[in-house]
Amino acid sequence: MSTQSTPSASTPSKAAQYLKNLRNFGIMAHIDAGKTTISERILFYTGKAHKIGEVHDGAATMDYLQEERERGITITSAATQCEWKGMTLNLIDTPGHVDFTAEVERSLRVLDGAVAVFDAVSGVEAQSETVWRQADRHKVPRLCFINKMDRIGADFKESLASIRERLGARPAVMQLPMGSAKDYKGMIDLVRGVAFTFNDESQGEEFFEGPVPPEYKDEFETARRELFEIAAEFDDALLEKLLEEKPVTEAEIKAALRVGTISTKIFPVFNGTALKNKGVQQLLDGVVEYLPCPLDLPPIVGHDPRGGEALTRNPDPTVPFTALAFKTISEKTGDLTFIRVYSGVLPTGTTVLNSTKGKSERIGRLYRMHAANRQPIDEVRAGDIAAAVGLKLAVTGDTLCDENHPIRLESIDFPDPVISMSIEPTSRADRDKLGEVLARLAKEDPTFSYFTDQETNETVIAGMGELHLDVLKNRIVRDYGVGATVGAPRVAYRQTLKRELVVEGRHIKQSGGSGQYGVVKIRFTPLDDTSAVEFISEIKGGAVPREYIKPIEYGIRQSAIEGGQDKFPYMGFKAALFDGQYHEVDSSELAFEAAARKAFREAFVPETTVLLEPIMKVEVQVPEEFLGDVIGDLNSRRAQVSDVDSRANLRVIHSKVPIAEMFAYSSRLRSLTQGRGTYSMEPDSYAPVPNETAKRVYEESAKMREAKRKQ
């Protein structure tokens, strides 16, 4: 296979032009909104694929895992590069299911823009809100694509309203749809003032431009005026022209809308039906016209790992190399590490600094990715997204940089697992293989973890939901050939304090020879944030020497993680060290760590703690006739129903439900609604468990420990 290089950028002007013509963007949405279907059309229309792969046939290029093709959903983000009208597009297709939200998080961390896809019938859905908030957090400019305009019940205006109301976003309508459902013919471009219709026999390759149909003339004029007024907010000269009723050009309108889009103050809205091959080419035009190139965005900010001062890197191939590792695929021949390059140039064979680990690593080979396929390349440079082989230490969130110009970029935060289950190998040979496979999966997936329960000697795997763990279990058994059985799902309970406590921890052993001496006084206070553990030192006057503060903090934090006999971690508290005693000869770091652990055990006892459980935000869509039965079932699951609204011909129930009550809910919902109900859920918060339920949880934990001891 031939080796390719990034397009030449040997001079500053060529480098700037390459960056100007580059778009790094992703497709994000609620599950089943049509993300991968749109991605497949993009590959076809840009010439990257010679035929359209359909999700429902299990033939989608971007869904390349066997699990994805069997389930018809996207599980892992897939990257590709294609060309459109002289522009280079780096595209990442992301999952829509909440269990795989880590894939969205790490993609949005490195992308310059995104296309948010909405179902024209459902509008904004639960996971639509989640991915939108993720994009807000990373300040990612977005286009909106209202898909499935050919479906019965499609409503463009209602979808727009849901974007305004549920996302708090300001849509800028770029196109008016012509019809809906079976009467959907195409769209009217408000900037250019032309109507697009499509040849259904040509897979959308042929479309026709024509005048605005007379029946849409009034609606077109109103919508166009509104769009131009939005554009004028971002260009004073344009505003003056409009006020004076002078003619404005298409380029002026587009330039102003681009400014508003890149600033995330507006979100251009397109429409179409990807499955019927309508509107995707116009969306691609929107990507190149309105989403940013690397030069449009502020320089990436990091800090010097040696001194901590802030540093910036411009998207410039002539400055020191900087990149962020945002995804790892563990392979026997060497990990495949996806990187986003923010500055400099990285040739194959280069040694770089992993500033997160403080170690040097060598780049063995570089690849341009097309889903599962790889094209070797000689180098990557500022603005590029590629994959590297040879990195042994790098994991998601690590910074790679020039050894002589170290910088560390902000890493990527991921939610904690909310569900776990035991996994047991079926043979001695499988036991050795299982440990290796779990380590590989944990390196790939930051929301997956595993550990050995020291009391029961069980291996426990933890993830974001039943589907997440089911997919991982299948990969372990089928893809890696490890014989294993899994136990029932378990909830990731936590514990926290009921009230403020002041305790003393003493670790004193002096029986001749070198002794151990450490005394700490700690104030434990509950926090509103149940996911936080804070530690502060209020020591004044040297009651506890400075070198013993860190061991005390370590003892507190480790005790919280270990979680007592029930193994439910303690969270949501602040520990303030305010006094203590030490001995000039017998005090040590270990003595003060032990004293801190004793103080922790003194404070965190059943009488002073409360059990917390993960609460999920659940959205259920059902036909009207099943509404009562579904709400009744949710109430039996300790749900708090907050709202019931209408969406097309369905009723939508918004509620919060403990995850402990949601196991096997999909089967129950199918039974209640004759298979016509759907639901989605995402982690929301932790809340106290009712007394009777908490009592049962603790009793079951005790029985499990006893059963394991007898084995």
Side-chain angles (χ1 to χ4, degrees), residues 201-394:
E201 303 300 320
S202 70
Q203 292 188 301
E205 289 179 281
E206 288 187 19
F207 58 87
F208 309 99
E209 294 185 17
V212 176
E215 64 269 28
Y216 290 102
K217 202 72 176 177
D218 291 343
E219 187 181 0
F220 163 72
E221 293 293 347
T222 300
R224 192 183 208 208
R225 185 167 54 252
E226 291 175 356
L227 179 64
F228 282 21
E229 288 172 357
I230 290 173
E233 295 177 25
F234 305 100
D235 186 328
D236 291 341
L238 177 62
L239 175 60
E240 189 173 333
K241 279 190 174 184
L242 290 175
L243 290 173
E244 295 176 359
E245 298 185 351
K246 292 180 179 179
V248 297
T249 66
E250 177 184 324
E252 288 175 316
I253 295 295
K254 288 183 175 179
L257 291 171
R258 180 178 176 81
V259 171
T261 304
I262 292 172
S263 66
T264 67
K265 292 179 179 177
I266 60 170
F267 302 92
V269 181
F270 298 79
N271 68 83
T273 167
L275 187 63
K276 299 297 177 59
N277 310 307
K278 296 176 182 178
V280 176
Q281 287 150 304
Q282 287 71 27
L283 175 64
L284 277 171
D285 288 341
V287 166
V288 301
E289 287 167 348
Y290 302 111
L291 289 184
C293 73
L295 295 173
D296 292 319
L297 299 173
I300 194 71
V301 177
H303 67 269
D304 189 331
R306 299 166 300 188
E309 62 269 22
L311 299 171
T312 59
R313 290 285 188 271
N314 291 306
D316 183 344
T318 65
V319 302
F321 168 73
T322 307
L324 186 75
F326 68 95
K327 180 181 173 72
T328 299
I329 298 177
S330 184
E331 299 180 336
K332 291 182 179 178
T333 55
D335 291 346
L336 187 69
T337 305
F338 289 71
I339 59 173
R340 163 66 194 265
V341 182
Y342 288 101
S343 66
V345 178
L346 177 68
T348 298
T350 305
T351 297
V352 298
L353 173 67
N354 182 332
S355 60
T356 307
K357 300 288 194 299
K359 302 284 186 181
S360 293
E361 299 202 62
R362 186 177 183 276
I363 304 293
R365 295 182 301 280
L366 292 168
Y367 293 106
R368 183 80 61 212
M369 299 302 297
H370 176 49
N373 299 319
R374 308 169 188 180
Q375 176 67 49
I377 54 178
D378 291 328
E379 64 178 29
V380 289
R381 54 181 61 237
D384 281 338
I385 292 175
V389 172
L391 299 168
K392 300 183 183 302
L393 302 174

Side-chain angles (χ1 to χ4, degrees), residues 53 56-57 142 152 161 166 185 214 272 373 419 454 487 549 630 684:
H56 54 267
D57 293 333
R142 277 144 280 172
I152 296 173
R166 296 190 63 178
K185 298 186 289 291
N373 299 319
I419 188 173
Q454 297 301 322
I549 303 297
V630 172
D684 181 73

Side-chain angles (χ1 to χ4, degrees), residues 500-692:
E500 182 175 290
L501 294 165
V502 175
V503 296
E504 181 180 80
R506 303 175 66 86
H507 183 73
I508 301 174
K509 292 185 178 180
Q510 293 174 302
S511 56
S514 179
Q516 300 178 44
Y517 191 101
V519 178
V520 296
K521 292 184 179 180
I522 299 175
R523 184 190 315 108
F524 291 98
T525 308
L527 295 175
D528 291 335
D529 182 359
T530 55
S531 66
V533 173
E534 296 180 9
F535 176 87
I536 61 171
S537 172
E538 299 175 354
I539 294 296
K540 296 177 182 177
V544 176
R546 182 178 300 175
E547 63 266 28
Y548 299 139
I549 303 297
K550 281 291 183 185
I552 293 170
E553 179 179 0
Y554 179 79
I556 296 295
R557 292 189 179 277
Q558 284 302 112
S559 296
I561 292 170
E562 291 161 7
Q565 65 176 5
D566 294 293
K567 308 300 181 187
F568 302 144
Y570 293 99
M571 308 290 282
F573 69 88
K574 179 170 74 173
L577 172 68
F578 66 90
D579 200 2
Q581 299 173 31
Y582 75 101
H583 189 281
E584 290 187 358
V585 176
D586 294 339
S587 288
S588 65
E589 292 184 357
L590 288 176
F592 272 97
E593 179 188 331
R597 287 178 175 273
K598 287 183 177 179
F600 188 93
R601 289 196 296 270
E602 183 79 18
F604 288 78
V605 295
E607 294 76 21
T608 64
T609 55
V610 61
L611 188 67
L612 301 173
E613 63 183 342
I615 304 297
M616 309 299 286
K617 185 187 293 183
V618 179
E619 184 179 282
V620 187
Q621 298 186 23
V622 296
E624 175 77 42
E625 61 264 35
F626 305 114
L627 182 63
D629 289 342
V630 172
I631 289 179
D633 181 71
L634 285 171
N635 287 335
S636 73
R637 298 172 184 270
R638 297 192 281 129
Q640 293 181 347
V641 177
S642 59
D643 187 31
V644 179
D645 61 29
S646 298
R647 192 174 297 164
N649 57 344
L650 296 173
R651 300 304 299 275
V652 183
I653 306 163
H654 304 274
S655 63
K656 293 182 179 179
V657 193
I659 194 174
E661 306 292 345
M662 292 299 291
F663 294 144
Y665 181 65
S666 56
S667 299
R668 178 60 176 161
L669 183 62
R670 282 195 299 269
S671 174
L672 288 172
T673 63
Q674 299 175 11
R676 295 164 63 190
T678 61
Y679 82 102
S680 62
M681 65 179 184
E682 60 176 299
D684 181 73
S685 60
Y686 272 78
V689 179
N691 290 336
E692 284 302 312

